[in-house]
Amino acid sequence: MSAPLLEVEDLHAWYGEAHVLHGMRFAVREGEVVTLLGRNGAGKTTTLKAILGIVPRRTGSIRFRGRELVGLPPHRIARLGIAWCPEERGILASLTVLENLLLPPVVADGGLSLEAIFELFPNLRERLSSQGTKLSGGEQQMLAIARILRTGARLLLLDEPTEGLAPVIVQQIGRTIRRLKEAGFTILLVEQNFRFAARIADRHYIVEHGRVVDEIAAAEIGPGQERLVAYLAV
Amino acid sequence: MTELFGVPAPALFGQLLLGLINGAFYAILSLGLAVIFGLLNIINFTHGAQYMMGAFTAWMLLNWAGLGYWWALLLAPLLVGITGILIERLLLARLAGLDHLYGLLLTFGLALVIQGIFRNEFGSTGLPYAIPPELRGGQNLGFMFLPNYRAWVVVVSLAVCLATWLVIEKTRLGSYLRAATENPTLVQAMGIDVPKMVTLTYGFGVALAAFAGVLAAPIYQVSPLMGADLIIVVFAVVVIGGMGSILGSIVTGFGLGVIEGLTKVFWPQASSTVIFVIMAIVLLLRPAGLFGRAS
Ligand SMILES: Nc1ncnc2c1ncn2[C@@H]1O[C@H](COP(=O)(O)OP(=O)(O)O)[C@@H](O)[C@H]1O
Ligand SMILES: [Mg+2]
């Protein structure tokens, strides 16, 4: 089995005095789709932010292609080929749709062309000169995913891409993630919608109180499903 | 003599021109403040002192190094801009995340220190700076006499303002700047060195102030407090235009200069307060400013 592309060990993170991550530990191999599942406030978003270096304080180890990320400034981490689609989508109101799409700098060869992006998200083509935030919620989510595919980053951190969206759009995003997996992208997906996650991920990590408390492979999703439901039930 | 609205035409156009000149300085200075405020969230009270430093740098280049106006127009913004970069790196960067008040106190204190140093070195009486030979004289337009240097100041200020606006609104670099103004964390997580951008942006805003200072040197005297009075009006312009709005600061700067000039013709007593009266009215009706986005 290949060495993990992303390896997180004993990761702690703080917001001021609040100690939010308590030794997160997980790994993602090249080409996998892996989810972090867990209830609101479990620390999933903070985990992604800690990988990106945008939490106020973090300790532990995050290795990407064997390279230690803890200690690097955020812009250097992104340049290694890690791209983020934030939970709040991060579409900029002062930019047009096209400017939003072209905003993230290309960090490596092999990113999708604009043509390929419009093939995945045909709606965006029509709206290029609109203000970014004039798009519908679903379109904004597509734009937020689309713009990170251009950059050549091979590890995508997607934070609840289906949150608050209509079922057809959720399906479209599911299809997109599957196509990205086929194209060889590695995806770390944060979800609360486990039905959605169950259909597309290879493995699931369950996060509670800033720790990984269980790991469930897609293959055992039958018996595992009950465990999942138990974890996510309020 | 021709009269317009009961005022001799040359007097009217003369004040209009004066208004445009003042407006040009308001526009360049408030543009710099807007760019700085947008990205750094700091109200740069040092701006007037940095404008003054631009004028003094022109004077020093001429009298100590024999470099004339055109060199000064290039070098003074560069040199003063570099001092801005040092100020940002050494001082302002440490205030990131703190309350507005800290930035305000720091930049205000710096302005006092800088003005004090210049007053100590050069005294408070103004030093003359000659109009460059290429721009002496003027044109008789029939209805008024237009001094070449003043026409130049209006045209070049407008050009600099429009170029800055174009870069910010229409280029890739500008889209980074707008994006980082709105969401710096996201932009940094995309791989852009936002702290460096912040430093350079402050340097650029300061360079704009210094550029205005060089333009001003032949019109006003070069003196340590030349920026202190001007900057108060410029802050009113910024409030009226809308804090942080690029286009707003340009349009408001020129517009208020003209309004001020016209007030001098029709109601001279009110000319020094008209901008503040407008500011009060705008604050009452549109607190975010004429071009500001209410947040
Ligand atoms: N900016 C912040 N400042 C302080 N506390 C925060 C901040 N963001 C999140 N938290 C806290 O950190 C914990 C984990 O939050 P988060 O990572 O957003 O959880 P999840 O994404 O799993 O819902 C929560 O208790 C939340 O209240
Ligand atoms: Mg979250």
Side-chain angles (χ1 to χ4, degrees):
Chain A
M1 199 173 278
S2 54
L5 182 69
L6 178 75
E7 213 172 355
V8 173
E9 270 169 34
D10 197 30
L11 178 64
H12 293 251
W14 290 261
Y15 296 104
E17 294 292 301
H19 188 174
V20 171
L21 298 187
H22 301 264
M24 286 285 295
R25 185 183 306 271
F26 63 93
V28 185
R29 284 185 292 273
E30 184 128 31
E32 269 189 317
V33 175
V34 169
T35 61
L36 300 178
L37 288 165
R39 288 176 208 160
N40 242 334
K44 307 179 295 295
T45 297
T46 305
T47 303
L48 298 191
K49 288 185 173 174
I51 294 170
L52 293 158
I54 54 175
V55 288
R57 187 155 97 82
R58 60 185 172 160
T59 64
S61 166
I62 305 165
R63 278 189 303 277
F64 177 65
R65 296 191 199 283
R67 172 120 189 231
E68 183 56 59
L69 303 187
V70 173
L72 283 186
H75 62 274
R76 296 274 308 281
I77 293 173
R79 296 265 169 190
L80 296 175
I82 302 178
W84 176 45
C85 177
E87 189 170 7
E88 63 285 353
R89 293 165 195 151
I91 300 305
L92 296 145
S94 49
L95 271 61
T96 64
V97 170
L98 182 62
E99 285 176 327
N100 267 287
L101 196 53
L102 298 180
L103 183 66
V106 170
V107 298
D109 294 336
L112 268 59
S113 66
L114 280 182
E115 241 353 273
I117 285 174
F118 293 142
E119 205 177 299
L120 275 176
F121 306 107
N123 305 26
L124 294 181
R125 195 200 297 267
E126 322 292 310
R127 306 294 306 272
L128 291 179
S129 56
S130 310
Q131 186 189 344
T133 43
K134 290 272 157 67
L135 297 183
S136 70
E139 287 168 331
Q140 288 192 32
Q141 186 62 64
M142 289 172 198
L143 177 56
I145 297 176
R147 70 179 170 193
I148 61 176
L149 301 180
R150 253 189 69 254
T151 64
R154 302 299 290 173
L155 174 62
L156 310 182
L157 311 181
L158 308 183
D159 199 341
E160 301 205 32
T162 64
E163 194 183 8
L165 298 179
V168 281
I169 300 185
V170 173
Q171 280 169 21
Q172 187 182 352
I173 289 173
R175 279 197 301 277
T176 305
I177 293 176
R178 252 177 250 120
R179 283 177 67 173
L180 293 176
K181 178 179 161 64
E182 282 159 23
F185 283 92
T186 306
I187 297 173
L188 179 58
L189 175 70
V190 164
E191 264 304 337
Q192 290 197 59
N193 179 347
F194 89 91
R195 277 171 224 289
F196 174 79
R199 286 201 301 271
I200 57 178
D202 299 307
R203 288 182 300 125
H204 311 276
Y205 287 103
I206 311 296
V207 183
E208 270 181 10
H209 306 302
R211 283 187 195 84
V212 169
V213 294
D214 202 351
E215 180 187 341
I216 300 171
E220 47 165 336
I221 202 73
Q225 182 136 342
E226 276 153 45
R227 256 154 73 207
L228 259 172
V229 173
Y231 282 122
L232 292 171
V234 185
Chain B
M1 192 181 277
T2 344
E3 292 200 349
L4 283 171
F5 313 112
V7 177
L12 181 65
F13 287 115
Q15 287 302 338
L16 207 58
L17 177 64
L18 215 58
L20 271 179
I21 300 266
N22 285 335
F25 291 117
Y26 299 162
I28 298 192
L29 290 173
S30 62
L31 176 63
L33 284 176
V35 172
I36 290 172
F37 179 77
L39 193 59
L40 282 80
N41 241 320
I42 276 180
I43 303 173
N44 184 35
F45 263 90
T46 320
H47 220 64
Q50 282 153 338
Y51 159 85
M52 176 271 288
M53 285 170 79
F56 263 101
T57 306
W59 186 90
M60 291 186 273
L61 285 171
L62 182 67
N63 290 282
W64 298 353
L67 294 173
Y69 179 82
W70 302 105
W71 277 110
L73 215 45
L74 186 75
L75 292 179
L78 206 67
L79 294 171
V80 180
I82 289 172
T83 66
I85 286 176
L86 291 176
I87 289 174
E88 200 285 330
R89 278 290 80 194
L90 297 176
L91 301 172
L92 294 177
R94 294 167 200 276
L95 301 182
L98 295 180
D99 192 90
H100 274 310
L101 205 55
Y102 290 89
L104 196 148
L105 285 173
L106 177 68
T107 56
F108 186 66
L110 266 177
L112 295 182
V113 169
I114 293 170
Q115 280 161 6
I117 291 173
F118 276 83
R119 196 142 56 153
N120 224 14
E121 291 299 313
F122 298 94
S124 10
T125 46
L127 305 170
Y129 188 95
I131 293 177
E134 297 86 347
L135 293 173
R136 289 188 191 142
Q139 316 292 326
N140 191 342
L141 302 180
F143 55 91
M144 69 176 291
F145 180 76
L146 176 63
N148 287 342
Y149 188 76
R150 304 203 162 204
W152 154 256
V153 167
V154 173
V155 170
V156 77
S157 304
L158 202 57
V160 165
C161 287
L162 288 180
T164 305
W165 177 77
L166 274 176
V167 167
I168 293 175
E169 291 300 324
K170 302 291 172 206
T171 67
R172 190 167 180 78
L173 183 68
S175 71
Y176 288 163
L177 190 76
R178 276 175 285 142
T181 295
E182 200 179 325
N183 191 340
T185 308
L186 176 72
V187 170
Q188 198 170 12
M190 287 176 174
I192 296 168
D193 189 347
V194 173
K196 189 155 124 202
M197 209 159 101
V198 165
T199 305
L200 292 178
T201 299
Y202 187 75
F204 174 74
V206 169
L208 272 182
F211 184 81
V214 181
L215 288 181
I219 298 184
Y220 311 113
Q221 301 247 304
V222 176
S223 78
L225 293 182
M226 64 190 285
D229 306 328
L230 182 60
I231 206 64
I232 296 179
V233 182
V234 171
F235 275 113
V237 171
V238 168
V239 170
I240 294 168
M243 205 74 210
S245 159
I246 303 299
L247 191 60
S249 54
I250 300 173
V251 173
T252 316
F254 277 99
L256 286 174
V258 168
I259 290 177
E260 199 184 30
L262 291 179
T263 313
K264 267 193 195 114
V265 179
F266 295 105
W267 192 13
Q269 301 88 325
S271 66
S272 58
T273 46
V274 62
I275 289 186
F276 298 99
V277 172
I278 295 176
M279 177 176 90
I281 296 171
V282 167
L283 279 180
L284 282 176
L285 300 179
R286 263 186 82 100
L290 296 179
F291 294 79
R293 282 196 204 102
S295 55

